[in-house]
């Protein structure tokens, strides 16, 4: 034992070791270490989420709910899909071919038409106001499902731009449940141990770090201290999984199939993260707020989304991972039916769409309807609260029975007045 | 004509306004000067009899799908060619009458959005380009395919015939190419400053082309994009020497919110006219004289202008613009609760003979 250790630090140190050991296990391929049946059972039980966030607002009319040849329908055609009777925009031909795996929701009617409030409101599930900041879906799942056996952080975010630990996502759950963001899919700086540092030196250094962390945590809230240690734990685990970031070793055929563009690269990396056992992977694409030049914009953007999305879904299906991975692709709202003077569409939360697939979700269907011009929902409207109920159910978490414990304050995990959309759920 | 005289002759006074609902993205005078034809967002081909008092609207031509953004005329035989975003091209005869007949029609001339149509100077050919990245040449008489350029790597957004029957194409990456009719490349013009890859989005490209009367100066219009999504950028016109490919001049025509040079046309009196649309709400009509360092005139009384067309007599100008307040995130409903769309005021300016 390192002479600097104190008894109450052992838990932290052990956690590190456990985390690192589990990381090694994952890097070697967990199924190789376990009885195949047991590994299969574990695979079945470990639910995961891929959450694809199309930031700014994908147009429902140029994707999942086309209204061709109508007043606001735009220039594009609708095409048939692999499911008779379901048509989508001609801009998503690859997704059309795998419609048997997908579930489209066309009757979203949400409450916010601004980005600044809408992004958080949607990703937090827009629960009733109880004077607390609710966690984003990723943090919620990280809390409710945990990290699993991979030792990897339960909530990672592959995004353009900068990296960091996005503790704000966690809300009242505390910073530990925030997102570990990999800017442009890159690993944290200095992930590789410098060659001058021996493993023994590294152990000693970490022991010292643990002491410093413990001292730091002493006079702070428990959640803050935990989060600080957690970040280091995560870093230690990631040091053993550099393969997740080394894109030069990715199969060139995969790179080609997903697309060499930013979104394709990030989606392929997301698949690697899911395969490695990360519980919740969020992938962001920015630049979809097409107030101007919406149609040229979507003509350029949608095929890239379609390419990576369809490749991902097909790969998950081929690997039998759709049975335990919930996949959701959505924005904070849709886009206005009316076409403005700069040939754009503005923000439209009144009648829009998302697409999903994976564990617990019925596939090959489109739920909900909008009217002929796509202006309003004509079937039952679903708010984001309904989606949260549906997703939690799909993950085998009963939102009617599960509550958060916010320092003694019981809080529902999804909006009390909403419910799961039964048409979307298996069984 | 000197500048002072030009500005006096083509001074913009209160126009006659024709309203097209929903919007039209382009409006063109026919070669005979009797008709103004518009194509836009409801698959109809709109027509106004501009020779008659009050410029009454004639019955629209129907049968297209999606958007109609290809319009071209042939004076001989009174032929009107129209194309839509679903790939259909249609040839109408006797386009001035109440019920023009369909002379020929190609349901799938292209697999996708036909961006531009143009009739060759000899009137024998019709050229089309579309989002399927093909340029095709058709017999104007019967629609038979005469020639097809190899599929290009990037789509063309616009093109124009030169008086000698050669073809100028402008693509989404900002490259203008000058072709012989047989598909031989004569020259490339680098207007790639009009293109930007913004994250995933290819933004901009060549939005408009014009040639002066002598076919010496090529004008290329678009924007210098700053970002995608809500596209902003400075409206830009580049002037090239057609014979050498040398860029002679560059005009920055406003702020980043003024965005695209949507349409360009040289007037026979030697000046270039252009219209812009921006984000949000700006619109400009601009006169330029090649060689002059700055625009002669910038008129900002119209919102988001999408096309301009000079009457064959050179004394009338039609600008298709957009109604005010066309954008916004709210629920735009009328007094009956019906969701409101937008329209295009088409401003017809008249100048003294």
């Amino acid at each position: 034992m390192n002479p600097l250790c104190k008894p109450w630090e052992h838990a932290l140190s052990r956690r590190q070791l456990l985390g690192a050991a589990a990381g090694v296990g994952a890097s070697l391929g967990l199924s190789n270490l376990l009885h195949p049946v047991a590994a299969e059972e574990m695979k079945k039980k470990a639910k995961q989420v891929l959450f694809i966030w199309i930031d700014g607002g994908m147009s429902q009319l140029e994707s999942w709910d086309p209204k061709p040849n109508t007043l606001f329908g735009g220039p594009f055609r609708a095409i048939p899909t692999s499911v008779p009777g379901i048509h989508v925009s001609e801009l998503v031909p690859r997704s059309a071919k795998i419609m048997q795996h997908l579930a489209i929701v066309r009757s979203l009617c949400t409450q916010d038409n601004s980005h600044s409030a809408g992004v958080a409101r949607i990703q937090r599930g827009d629960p009733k106001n109880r004077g607390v900041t609710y966690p984003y879906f990723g943090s919620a799942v990280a809390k409710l499902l945990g990290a699993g056996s991979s030792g990897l952080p339960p909530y990672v975010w592959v995004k353009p731009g900068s990296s960091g630990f996005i503790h704000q996502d966690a809300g009242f759950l505390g910073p530990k449940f925030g997102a570990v963001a990999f800017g442009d899919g890159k690993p944290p700086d200095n992930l590789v141990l410098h060659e001058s540092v021996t493993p023994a030196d590294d152990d000693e250094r970490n022991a010292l770090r643990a002491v410093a962390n413990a001292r730091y945590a002493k006079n702070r809230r428990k959640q803050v201290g935990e989060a600080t240690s957690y970040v280091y734990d995560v870093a230690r685990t990631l040091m053993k999984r550099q393969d997740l970031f080394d894109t030069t070793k990715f199969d060139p055929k995969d790179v080609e199939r997903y697309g060499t563009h930013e979104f394709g690269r990030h989606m392929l990396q997301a698949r690697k993260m899911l395969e490695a056992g990360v519980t919740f992977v969020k992938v962001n694409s920015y630049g979809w707020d097409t107030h101007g030049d919406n149609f040229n914009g979507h003509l350029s953007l949608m095929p890239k989304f379609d390419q990576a999305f369809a490749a991902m879904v097909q790969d998950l299906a081929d690997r039998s991972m759709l049975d335990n991975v919930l996949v959701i692709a959505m924005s904070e709202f849709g886009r206005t039916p009316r076409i403005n003077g700069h040939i754009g569409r503005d923000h439209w939360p009144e009648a829009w769409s998302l697409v999903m697939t994976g564990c617990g979700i019925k596939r090959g269907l489109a739920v909900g309807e909008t009217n002929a011009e796509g202006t309003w929902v004509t079937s039952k409207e679903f708010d984001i609260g309904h989606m949260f109920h549906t997703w939690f159910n799909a993950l085998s978490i009963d939102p009617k029975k599960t509550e958060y414990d916010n320092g003694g304050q019981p809080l529902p995990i999804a909006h009390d007045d909403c419910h799961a959309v039964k048409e979307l759920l298996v069984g | 004509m000197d500048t002072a005289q030009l500005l006096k002759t083509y001074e913009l006074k209160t126009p006659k306004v024709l309203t097209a609902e929903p919007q039209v993205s382009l409006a063109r005078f026919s070669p005979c000067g009797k008709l103004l034809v518009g194509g836009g967002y409801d698959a109809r081909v709109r027509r106004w009899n501009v020779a008659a008092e009050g410029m009454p609207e004639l019955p629209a031509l129907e049968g297209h799908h999606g958007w109609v953004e290809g319009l071209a005329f042939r004076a001989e035989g009174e032929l009107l060619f129209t194309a839509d975003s679903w790939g259909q091209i249609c040839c109408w005869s006797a386009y001035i009458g109440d019920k023009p007949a369909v002379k020929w029609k190609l349901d799938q001339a292209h697999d996708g959005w036909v961006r531009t149509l143009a009739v060759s100077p000899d009137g024998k050919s019709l050229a089309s380009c579309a989002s399927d990245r093909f340029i095709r040449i058709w017999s104007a008489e019967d629609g038979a395919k005469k020639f097809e350029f190899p599929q290009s790597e990037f789509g063309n957004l616009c093109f124009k015939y030169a008086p000698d029957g050669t073809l100028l194409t402008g693509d989404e990456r900002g490259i203008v190419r000058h072709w012989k009719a047989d598909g031989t490349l004569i020259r490339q013009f680098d207007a790639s400053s009009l293109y930007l890859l913004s994250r995933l989005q290819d933004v901009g490209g060549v939005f408009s082309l014009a040639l002066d009367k002598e076919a010496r100066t090529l004008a290329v219009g678009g924007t210098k994009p700053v970002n995608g999504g809500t596209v902003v950028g400075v409206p830009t016109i580049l002037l090239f020497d057609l014979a050498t490919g040398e860029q002679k001049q560059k005009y920055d025509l406003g702020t980043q919110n003024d965005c695209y040079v949507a349409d360009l046309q040289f007037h026979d009196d030697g000046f270039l006219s252009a219209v812009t649309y921006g984000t949000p709400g700006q619109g400009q009509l601009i006169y330029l004289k090649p060689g002059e360092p700055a625009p002669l005139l910038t008129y900002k009384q119209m919102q988001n202008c999408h096309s301009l067309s000079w009457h064959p007599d050179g004394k009338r100008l039609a600008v298709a613009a957009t109604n005010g307040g066309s954008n916004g995130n709210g629920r735009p409903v009328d007094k009956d609760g019906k969701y409101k769309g937008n329209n295009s005021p088409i401003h017809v300016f008249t100048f003294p003979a």
Side-chain angles (χ1 to χ4, degrees):
Chain A
M1 182 184 290
N2 188 305
L4 294 171
C5 280
K6 291 177 183 168
W8 50 269
E9 292 161 3
H10 272 254
L12 181 67
S13 179
R14 214 182 75 197
R15 194 165 64 238
Q16 281 176 356
L17 286 169
L18 284 173
V24 172
S27 69
L28 294 171
L30 195 56
S31 58
N32 293 338
L33 302 178
L34 298 172
H35 188 277
V37 177
E40 204 50 43
E41 278 305 304
M42 275 189 72
K43 237 164 82 180
K44 276 184 196 166
K45 284 175 188 166
K47 306 281 191 200
Q48 295 170 282
V49 179
L50 171 63
F51 190 70
I52 304 161
W53 184 255
I54 307 301
D55 195 82
M58 178 189 281
S59 169
Q60 69 283 2
L61 295 156
E62 277 71 60
S63 57
W64 312 117
D65 193 14
K67 301 290 180 185
N69 218 30
T70 63
L71 185 59
F72 306 117
F76 302 114
R77 297 167 288 186
I79 54 171
T81 66
S82 61
V83 177
I86 298 180
H87 288 69
V88 292
S89 168
E90 65 174 308
L91 301 183
V92 287
R94 290 178 170 96
S95 299
K97 285 182 184 158
I98 55 156
M99 186 65 222
Q100 75 277 9
H101 293 308
L102 305 179
I104 296 171
V105 181
R106 289 174 167 159
S107 50
L108 288 172
C109 180
T110 51
Q111 309 304 316
D112 212 308
N113 68 11
S114 77
H115 302 291
S116 52
V119 171
R121 203 161 168 177
I122 292 292
Q123 292 201 40
R124 295 186 197 282
D126 201 10
K128 276 187 182 171
N129 183 3
R130 287 184 164 84
V132 296
T133 303
Y134 260 69
Y136 274 36
F137 189 49
S139 296
V141 171
K143 167 75 175 173
L144 296 166
L145 292 185
S149 58
S150 71
L152 290 164
Y155 175 18
V156 307
W157 184 10
V158 184
K159 63 190 276 292
S162 59
S163 301
F165 184 62
I166 316 298
H167 62 86
Q168 298 89 335
D169 280 18
F172 65 73
L173 293 179
K176 181 179 171 183
F177 295 99
V180 179
F182 301 121
D184 197 27
K186 291 193 170 61
D189 286 344
N190 307 313
L191 186 66
V192 181
L193 204 61
H194 193 273
E195 57 189 17
S196 65
V197 181
T198 66
D201 288 344
D202 191 42
D203 286 346
E204 199 163 338
R205 199 171 59 163
N206 275 297
L208 182 62
R209 188 258 300 169
V211 172
N213 279 353
R215 189 172 297 159
Y216 173 81
K218 207 171 173 182
N219 298 319
R220 287 172 174 80
R221 285 193 308 131
K222 186 180 165 219
Q223 290 174 329
V224 174
E226 273 184 1
T228 308
S229 300
Y230 170 74
V231 168
Y232 285 100
D233 291 349
V234 163
R236 291 270 288 165
T237 310
L238 289 173
M239 285 170 80
K240 302 183 188 319
R241 294 308 312 267
Q242 287 164 44
D243 58 305
L244 295 174
F245 305 100
D246 188 356
T247 53
T248 63
K249 295 202 174 126
F250 290 1
D251 183 342
K253 284 182 190 159
D254 280 348
V255 173
E256 196 62 31
R257 283 192 309 114
Y258 279 69
T260 52
H261 43 80
E262 177 184 82
F263 183 64
R265 283 188 284 111
H266 293 174
M267 284 286 277
L268 180 53
Q269 206 159 9
R271 197 197 78 196
K272 302 278 181 189
M273 301 267 178
L274 290 167
E275 288 169 334
V278 174
T279 302
F280 191 102
V281 181
K282 180 159 76 169
V283 179
N284 262 48
S285 177
Y286 291 110
W288 290 74
D289 190 20
T290 49
H291 289 282
D293 215 9
N294 172 77
F295 303 94
N296 285 319
H298 275 73
L299 186 61
S300 175
L301 290 164
M302 286 306 304
K304 292 163 192 158
F305 166 85
D306 182 49
Q307 179 182 17
F309 177 71
M312 171 69 88
V313 171
Q314 192 59 59
D315 280 357
L316 295 180
D318 291 347
R319 289 160 170 74
S320 302
M321 287 175 72
L322 276 188
D323 296 332
N324 63 309
V325 180
L326 173 65
V327 180
I328 301 156
M330 69 179 303
S331 297
E332 60 267 45
F333 36 62
R335 306 216 71 88
T336 48
R338 81 168 176 171
I339 298 159
N340 64 33
H342 19 107
I343 322 183
R345 296 190 191 270
D346 301 307
H347 304 171
W348 193 244
E350 316 287 349
W352 57 292
S353 305
L354 62 75
V355 66
M356 64 174 108
T357 182
C359 69
I361 298 296
K362 268 189 200 161
R363 299 171 202 169
L365 76 165
V367 170
E369 281 179 19
T370 51
N371 62 7
E373 293 181 344
T375 50
W376 314 112
V377 173
T378 52
S379 58
K380 181 174 169 45
E381 295 171 349
F382 295 127
D383 206 333
I384 190 61
H386 295 96
M387 294 301 106
F388 266 54
H389 276 270
T390 305
W391 298 334
F392 283 133
N393 270 282
L395 295 169
S396 305
I397 300 164
D398 185 346
K400 298 287 185 196
K401 293 179 182 166
T402 311
E403 289 181 323
Y404 295 121
D405 176 3
N406 180 34
Q409 178 192 19
L411 292 168
I413 61 172
H415 196 296
D416 327 31
D417 296 340
C418 295
H419 55 80
V421 181
K422 283 186 182 162
E423 304 97 290
L424 287 164
L425 290 170
V426 174
Chain B
M1 191 181 287
D2 66 28
T3 299
Q5 193 184 352
L6 191 152
L7 287 173
K8 190 175 174 192
T9 306
Y10 296 102
E11 183 184 0
L12 296 162
K13 293 181 179 167
T14 308
K16 160 84 178 167
V17 177
L18 309 169
T19 301
E21 188 168 358
Q23 298 107 302
V24 293
S25 48
L26 79 167
R28 296 276 185 258
F29 285 110
S30 62
C32 64
K34 295 177 184 169
L35 205 64
L36 182 69
V37 178
Y41 299 168
D42 65 348
R44 290 185 302 158
V45 180
R46 312 284 293 272
R47 302 179 303 148
W48 290 267
N49 181 351
V50 292
E53 183 72 26
M55 304 183 190
E57 185 166 4
L58 300 173
L61 308 181
E62 304 200 2
H64 276 297
H65 302 94
W67 288 4
V68 175
E69 296 207 310
L71 287 179
F73 299 92
R74 190 179 84 174
E76 185 196 346
E78 259 188 21
L79 300 183
L80 166 65
F81 303 93
T82 55
D84 69 34
S85 59
W86 290 20
Q88 179 180 286
I89 296 178
C90 197
C91 173
W92 311 82
S93 59
Y95 58 71
I96 294 175
D98 270 356
K99 288 185 179 173
V102 175
K103 183 176 167 69
W104 54 262
K105 189 169 79 159
L106 302 170
D107 290 335
Q108 281 295 293
H110 287 273
D111 182 14
W113 190 351
V114 179
R115 302 289 197 151
T116 313
L117 288 179
V119 173
S120 61
D122 65 7
K124 290 181 179 170
S125 300
L126 174 76
S128 59
C129 72
S131 58
D132 61 6
R133 295 181 279 120
F134 279 107
I135 297 170
R136 294 188 171 123
I137 312 292
W138 315 91
S139 161
E141 203 54 41
D142 60 12
K145 187 156 79 177
K146 295 168 77 171
F147 183 70
E148 177 179 281
F149 285 63
Q151 191 174 30
S152 56
E153 188 178 359
F154 307 110
N156 286 294
L157 300 175
C158 58
F159 61 58
K160 190 153 195 73
Y161 270 110
D164 63 359
T166 57
L167 197 61
L168 290 148
T169 61
D171 79 9
E172 60 193 29
R173 296 296 174 104
I175 301 300
V176 178
R177 293 179 178 84
H178 191 186
W179 307 90
K180 287 183 182 170
D182 64 1
T184 307
L185 182 65
I186 302 168
R187 185 167 287 105
Q188 280 195 185
F189 302 82
D190 182 5
S192 57
S193 59
L194 306 181
Y195 165 79
L196 174 76
L197 174 63
S198 175
R199 300 187 186 279
L200 290 188
Q201 187 181 346
D202 299 297
V203 188
V206 177
F207 268 49
S208 44
L209 289 170
L211 271 179
D212 66 353
K213 194 165 58 172
E214 296 80 19
R216 287 183 189 148
T217 302
L218 168 68
V220 179
T223 188
K224 191 176 176 194
V226 174
N227 61 266
T230 302
V231 177
V232 292
V234 175
T236 302
I237 293 176
L238 306 173
L239 299 184
F240 291 92
D241 184 308
L242 185 68
T244 65
E246 183 189 353
Q247 184 183 314
K248 294 288 200 185
Q249 266 182 286
K250 174 173 178 281
Y251 293 98
D252 292 335
L253 300 168
T255 69
Q256 289 183 355
N257 287 338
D258 291 319
C259 222
Y260 282 110
V261 174
D263 206 0
L264 288 167
Q265 194 177 348
F266 277 98
H267 191 279
D268 281 354
D269 281 342
F271 66 97
L272 176 65
S273 51
V275 289
T276 71
Y277 68 89
T279 313
Q282 282 81 4
Q284 302 180 105
L285 167 62
I286 293 163
Y287 293 167
L288 292 163
K289 205 169 178 183
E292 297 284 338
L296 308 180
L297 176 142
T298 302
Y299 181 82
K300 295 187 174 182
Q301 303 301 309
M302 298 176 284
Q303 302 276 328
N304 287 310
C305 307
H306 293 279
S307 82
L308 64 81
S309 179
W310 282 97
H311 192 272
D313 68 9
K315 298 302 176 191
R316 270 185 281 183
L317 171 66
V319 176
T322 314
N323 57 289
S326 70
N327 64 316
N329 300 328
R331 289 174 169 228
V333 291
D334 65 17
K335 58 181 170 40
D336 300 319
K338 189 171 181 298
Y339 186 76
K340 281 167 62 180
N342 288 313
N343 63 68
S344 291
I346 303 174
H347 304 255
V348 182
F349 296 93
T350 303
F351 307 100

